[in-house]
Amino acid sequence: MTRRAEAGLIIAASLLAATGVAMVEFTKGNWLDAQVTITFLTFLGAFGGLQIAVRRWAPGASSLLLPTAAFLTSLGFIEIYRLDPELAATQRWSLLITAGVGAAILWALSGPGVGVLRQYRYVILAIAVALLLLPLLPDSWPIHGATINGSRLWVRIDIPGTLRTPSFQPGELAKVLIVVFLASYLSENAEAMSVVNRKIGPFKFPEPRHLGPVMIAAASAFVVLIYQKDLGASLLLFGIFIGMLYIATGRSFYVVAGGATAIAAGFVAFRIFDHVQRRIEAWLDPFAHFQDAGYQTIQGLFAIGSGSLTGSGIGLGRPDLIPAAGTDFIFAAIAEEMGFAGSIAVLAGFALLVGAAFGIAIRSRDRFRKYLAGGLAIVVALQAFIILGGVLRVLPITGIALPFMSYGGSSLLANMVIIVLLLEISHEERV
Amino acid sequence: MPALFFNVIKLLFLALLFLFLFQVVRALRSHTGSNPGTRVSGAPAELIVLTGNANVDRVKLRPQGHVIGRSSDADIHIDDPYSSEFHARVGLQDSAVLVHDLGSTNGTYVNGRRVTTPTTVSKGDTVQIGKTILEVR
């Protein structure tokens, strides 16, 4: 794709967002609203600005990523706007800031290249762990953790003298940093880990000392699960570890061992944690738990079902009945108002994005970049799979954000950083 | 009447979504076999070693060509047990790039297909010799 075609598609995605906003306003009886123009300009500013940054600092980058990300963001944005125009206004600011950060990262990496991250792997790991533990800060501190919807994932900053308390989810960025660390670690140690020749009975095992990382993976995911009561994040972390180990070693042993550990850990969690148990029961039989744990899932299913083939039309359904429709359940809201057709478009968007990311990984020449691009592809794919699976009742529901689509600045920022890193890797591979 | 109007708008919007995706996929399709990055245009100029160990990473194509092989006398000397001593020659002829297999044991592959006669390759095509993969750019 040429840069011109890419720019055309970015304009088209901005127009899509504006059209959606216009349709929402139209169902309220307004012909045209200033919001339509503001939305168009915001999207154009954010993604167009990023593209200009790409042209300047990473001219060889793949041109598939930005239009697809813009497409997904605009579909999510339409639904957020439809649910709550005020949230949408916040999301617009997040988008602009996020794009600015993305452009800054492109600029910073244009000199040393993405390989510079490789040298600071333990610094990066330390930052990631600190970010993961940040929500555990006591409530009395000016920067403190906060529990929202039963999960302690948030950090709130009290600014003295004002009532404004900006909050963010540090875990979102932590998982990107963990991927960078793993890519760097595995690019040096994968060869030793791919030797699987210890025989115990009919099974083959790698050397015990190479199993350390798998154990660390299980342990860290379990710590997040226990202290922050967050199923989705622990599943995601664990999936990243296992997926990257598999990419780096090519040994199915790690997938099998990881899967077995995950099932064992899940079983233990089911036994000792009430909230896990409630979720699993609500997953297996949501209608028996209509009043409490299954309510959200059922409202989501009703929404998806009533959406039928082409949906109710934007602004004409009742996605506001679904709890957390703008964040975790945004896919159900889209399925209701844009129907099966719109849902398939969303899935196709994710498939394209993840496929493009794996393509970049395959074409990269050195191991670090290969594993990094592959790991980033896994992060996007797993996040989408975990939350879409939860909404569609393929998996128990675990609240994590749908990349690019859910309301929330931290998630948008983390996913934009992923796109920017992929752009940079694809650029370096071409020069 | 308004209901019909809303329905038409709804369907038009969905059509736009798929038109967008179609455009992305079409752009993707025009690249299969090469990088999905910016379009490669202009005449082919270089041969790049994508995977494998060679004495050079990239060479500028020239009319007299480069001989690729395991021998240290080859222009592009690759350390690949599946390569013959003098395996293939890649050269420029009237702004077209020609690949000659020099009677190698394991064959020369252009975009995954074995070639026995001199074959023209263009920008973005890959040439595989043993386990070594080169790309024309």
Side-chain angles (χ1 to χ4, degrees):
Chain A
M1 199 185 324
T2 57
R3 289 283 167 218
R4 271 184 71 171
E6 186 189 16
L9 284 174
I10 286 172
I11 294 170
S14 312
L15 279 174
L16 272 183
T19 313
V21 169
M23 284 163 76
V24 175
E25 287 301 327
F26 187 63
T27 55
K28 290 184 194 161
N30 306 329
W31 266 105
L32 273 178
D33 195 277
Q35 295 287 336
V36 178
T37 325
I38 296 173
T39 303
F40 177 69
L41 292 178
T42 309
F43 271 78
L44 202 62
F47 287 100
L50 259 178
Q51 203 219 6
I52 291 170
V54 166
R55 283 186 178 196
R56 242 186 115 85
W57 294 309
S62 161
S63 50
L64 270 175
L65 298 167
L66 276 181
T68 322
F71 175 76
L72 292 172
T73 315
S74 78
L75 279 186
F77 180 81
I78 293 168
E79 209 52 47
I80 295 168
Y81 184 83
R82 183 255 173 276
L83 287 158
D84 186 348
E86 276 184 25
L87 283 187
T90 319
Q91 186 75 347
R92 274 198 299 253
W93 281 113
S94 310
L95 182 60
L96 284 174
I97 294 167
T98 300
V101 173
I105 294 176
L106 272 179
W107 168 75
L109 288 180
S110 63
V114 81
V116 74
L117 298 173
R118 190 177 179 168
Q119 300 156 20
Y120 298 109
R121 80 165 87 123
Y122 291 107
V123 178
I124 286 170
L125 179 69
I127 297 174
V129 172
L131 283 177
L132 273 181
L133 298 179
L134 212 54
L136 300 177
L137 291 178
D139 284 351
S140 53
W141 292 16
I143 298 176
H144 60 84
T147 309
I148 297 179
N149 296 331
S151 288
R152 200 173 175 88
L153 285 177
W154 295 81
V155 170
R156 205 164 261 166
I157 305 168
D158 293 331
I159 302 172
T162 61
L163 285 173
R164 287 181 57 87
T165 52
S167 57
F168 61 99
Q169 269 182 300
E172 291 284 346
L173 209 54
K175 63 202 172 204
V176 181
L177 295 178
I178 284 178
V179 170
V180 176
F181 164 76
L182 277 178
S184 169
Y185 179 82
L186 290 173
S187 62
E188 277 171 33
N189 298 312
E191 231 147 78
M193 294 172 69
S194 63
V195 179
V196 183
N197 52 9
R198 267 277 166 106
K199 273 194 184 156
I200 303 177
F203 302 107
K204 285 184 172 177
F205 288 93
E207 291 286 321
R209 66 196 153 97
H210 299 316
L211 279 180
V214 189
M215 299 301 155
I216 296 170
S220 64
F222 217 58
V223 165
V224 173
L225 176 70
I226 293 168
Y227 284 105
Q228 301 175 348
K229 299 198 170 176
D230 184 22
L231 273 174
S234 49
L235 194 59
L236 180 62
L237 273 180
F238 197 72
I240 293 171
F241 272 90
I242 299 305
M244 289 190 72
L245 274 174
Y246 181 62
I247 287 185
T249 60
R251 297 287 166 188
S252 44
F253 166 81
Y254 289 103
V255 179
V256 175
T261 321
I263 290 170
F267 188 73
V268 172
F270 177 77
R271 274 302 172 80
I272 55 178
F273 297 122
D274 276 353
H275 68 282
V276 177
Q277 197 167 358
R278 274 201 305 276
R279 289 224 182 145
I280 304 268
E281 280 167 1
W283 169 52
L284 294 173
D285 189 3
F287 287 93
H289 301 266
F290 181 77
Q291 299 297 334
D292 41 82
Y295 182 74
Q296 191 182 25
T297 309
I298 291 175
Q299 290 300 328
L301 290 177
F302 283 159
I304 295 166
S306 70
S308 188
L309 183 63
T310 56
S312 61
I314 295 166
L316 298 172
R318 291 299 307 276
D320 48 305
L321 294 177
I322 316 165
T327 52
D328 299 349
F329 270 64
I330 192 139
F331 185 72
I334 284 180
E336 175 170 4
E337 298 212 312
M338 304 182 198
F340 181 68
S343 327
I344 289 293
V346 169
L347 292 183
F350 277 112
L352 276 172
L353 197 60
V354 173
F358 275 125
I360 291 169
I362 288 171
R363 285 188 198 86
S364 303
R365 260 168 288 169
D366 80 52
R367 282 164 173 244
F368 173 66
R369 293 196 183 88
K370 223 181 227 329
Y371 299 164
L372 183 57
L376 296 174
I378 291 179
V379 175
V380 176
L382 258 187
Q383 283 185 93
F385 177 70
I386 290 173
I387 186 59
L388 293 181
V391 171
L392 296 171
R393 219 162 72 80
V394 175
L395 299 173
I397 176 68
T398 53
I400 61 172
L402 185 58
F404 299 107
M405 304 188 73
S406 290
Y407 166 76
S410 317
S411 161
L412 194 60
L413 177 67
N415 288 299
M416 202 65 93
V417 170
I418 291 178
I419 293 293
V420 164
L421 287 178
L422 285 169
L423 285 168
E424 179 65 26
I425 296 169
S426 64
H427 161 68
E428 286 173 17
E429 179 262 324
R430 287 192 65 79
V431 283
Chain B
M1 194 56 194
L4 180 69
F5 181 64
F6 277 124
N7 262 320
V8 171
I9 290 191
K10 177 180 93 179
L11 294 177
L12 278 178
F13 183 78
L14 288 173
L16 280 180
L17 294 191
F18 283 93
L19 187 67
F20 184 94
L21 288 171
F22 177 71
Q23 291 299 329
V24 177
V25 172
R26 209 181 60 163
L28 181 70
R29 245 192 62 185
S30 65
H31 286 278
T32 36
S34 76
N35 287 309
T38 41
R39 199 169 68 198
V40 211
S41 53
E46 285 186 309
L47 194 60
I48 294 180
V49 182
L50 285 186
T51 60
N53 293 322
N55 57 341
V56 286
D57 279 346
R58 54 176 67 204
V59 291
K60 259 205 161 51
L61 290 165
R62 54 186 188 193
Q64 70 268 36
H66 290 89
V67 172
I68 309 167
R70 199 151 51 94
S71 159
S72 50
D73 290 336
D75 299 316
I76 302 177
H77 162 55
I78 53 177
D79 180 19
D80 186 331
Y82 296 98
S83 160
S84 300
E85 292 285 313
F86 298 98
H87 194 111
R89 199 175 72 90
V90 179
L92 211 52
Q93 195 168 37
D94 308 330
S95 83
V97 186
L98 276 180
V99 178
H100 297 251
D101 183 75
L102 301 175
S104 66
T105 315
N106 292 318
T108 303
Y109 296 78
V110 171
N111 292 336
R113 209 163 279 158
R114 185 163 183 169
V115 294
T116 44
T117 51
T119 308
T120 325
V121 291
S122 41
K123 232 175 183 181
D125 287 343
T126 56
V127 178
Q128 185 173 359
I129 289 167
K131 285 182 145 182
T132 310
I133 300 173
L134 304 103
E135 188 182 318
V136 182
R137 280 204 194 148

